[in-house]
Amino acid sequence: MDLLPVVLESKTGRELKAYSPVFIHNCLEKCIGSYNGCSPLRNGNLIVKCCSVQQMTALLQCTKMTDGAVSVKIAAVSMRPLGARGVIYNVPLDISTDDLVACLASQGVKSVKRFRFKSSDSSELKDSKSVFLQFDTAVVPGEVKIGYLFFRVKQHVPRPLRCFKCNRYGHVAGHCRGKLRCSMCSGEHNNSECSAAAPKCPNCEGGHSANDKICPIYKRETEILKL
Ligand SMILES: [Zn+2]
Ligand SMILES: [Zn+2]
Ligand SMILES: [Zn+2]
């Protein structure tokens, strides 16, 4: 598991950002010990930088923060790198990753990764013309320049964290306290054993599966990650 910052959401109806930073700091130290940093997000959540994978795992499992006197119900909603992420398209294949890094470093880009895909004629992964950009800035710029070419930057939104057991958002199966629910029909079985004729989303009860992007709950969870 990579060490990534964890985004925490309040389950009390009051944003975590609205609590005293001293209180939150004391809670975090009590919960995971000394950590690497914490900052509020625009949507009221907090993003916490951990020092170790153990600490990150502990925080992902955490459902309540307390300083000993007052406690706040919380949930880990995602793990994400700090800084905005973007994607650029139609980047000529003859531009190497090294050249991309060299051109983009001065434009706030920390790392670059070309998306790859499996072509129909072979099982080998091929480079695509889409490139993922990790910025060290909070927002993506409108465009970036590579050589004499300009590319519009589209914000990359990570997938929300969804439990493979109960299919609800905000936790992983290892920490699930819910019932097994099929992602296709909401029944109490694995989706590999599903024989339902019509889909029924376990999150919104609509006529689609849990991982369908038209799901309003999926959309809401994705909106949260856009900050
Ligand atoms: Zn679950
Ligand atoms: Zn089913
Ligand atoms: Zn749905």
Side-chain angles (χ1 to χ4, degrees):
M1 202 164 16
D2 287 340
L3 187 58
L4 291 173
V6 175
V7 177
L8 298 178
E9 184 184 60
S10 164
K11 291 289 174 192
T12 62
R14 185 181 171 201
E15 294 178 345
L16 286 175
K17 197 166 72 172
Y19 288 88
S20 151
V22 177
F23 166 71
I24 295 288
H25 173 71
N26 292 341
C27 288
L28 283 171
E29 291 232 300
K30 237 189 157 63
C31 175
I32 56 170
S34 66
Y35 55 97
N36 234 340
C38 172
S39 48
L41 297 172
R42 223 163 57 195
N43 62 5
N45 291 345
L46 291 179
I47 187 159
V48 181
K49 282 205 270 181
C50 298
C51 304
S52 66
V53 170
Q54 286 84 339
Q55 219 175 39
M56 187 180 84
T57 313
L59 201 55
L60 284 170
Q61 287 182 58
C62 195
T63 55
K64 198 174 83 176
M65 288 200 306
T66 181
D67 64 353
V70 181
S71 63
V72 182
K73 275 190 170 169
I74 56 155
V77 286
S78 65
M79 293 182 286
R80 49 162 298 176
L82 289 169
R85 283 152 297 167
V87 187
I88 49 176
Y89 301 95
N90 282 316
V91 181
L93 292 168
D94 54 7
I95 303 180
S96 69
T97 302
D98 286 349
D99 279 348
L100 289 172
V101 170
C103 290
L104 294 166
S106 61
Q107 299 172 67
V109 175
K110 231 165 45 177
S111 64
V112 163
K113 200 172 152 194
R114 214 179 253 281
F115 285 103
R116 306 178 82 194
F117 67 96
K118 250 188 201 144
S119 65
S120 50
D121 54 324
S122 81
S123 59
E124 254 172 73
L125 283 172
K126 286 189 175 162
D127 280 347
S128 79
K129 289 184 175 176
S130 306
V131 177
F132 171 85
L133 307 176
Q134 172 70 55
F135 289 88
D136 55 17
T137 50
V139 286
V140 298
E143 58 183 19
V144 290
K145 196 178 178 203
I146 299 167
Y148 60 72
L149 296 172
F150 286 89
F151 296 88
R152 281 173 66 96
V153 182
K154 190 172 169 277
Q155 190 186 0
H156 176 82
V157 180
R159 273 164 196 270
L161 188 68
R162 184 160 54 87
C163 172
F164 290 115
K165 187 183 152 208
C166 75
N167 277 291
R168 293 209 193 278
Y169 291 98
H171 66 271
V172 290
H175 311 136
C176 181
R177 296 196 193 119
K179 275 198 278 186
L180 174 68
R181 289 188 313 161
C182 172
S183 66
M184 299 299 295
C185 76
S186 311
E188 247 179 87
H189 51 257
N190 276 314
N191 48 341
S192 56
E193 289 148 19
C194 188
S195 57
K200 182 184 164 194
C201 172
N203 288 314
C204 75
E205 302 189 355
H208 52 255
S209 74
N211 44 27
D212 197 315
K213 290 195 172 109
I214 66 164
C215 175
I217 309 287
Y218 173 87
K219 282 186 188 160
R220 188 192 70 195
E221 295 294 320
T222 311
E223 278 309 304
I224 292 170
L225 296 177
K226 279 186 190 166
L227 310 178

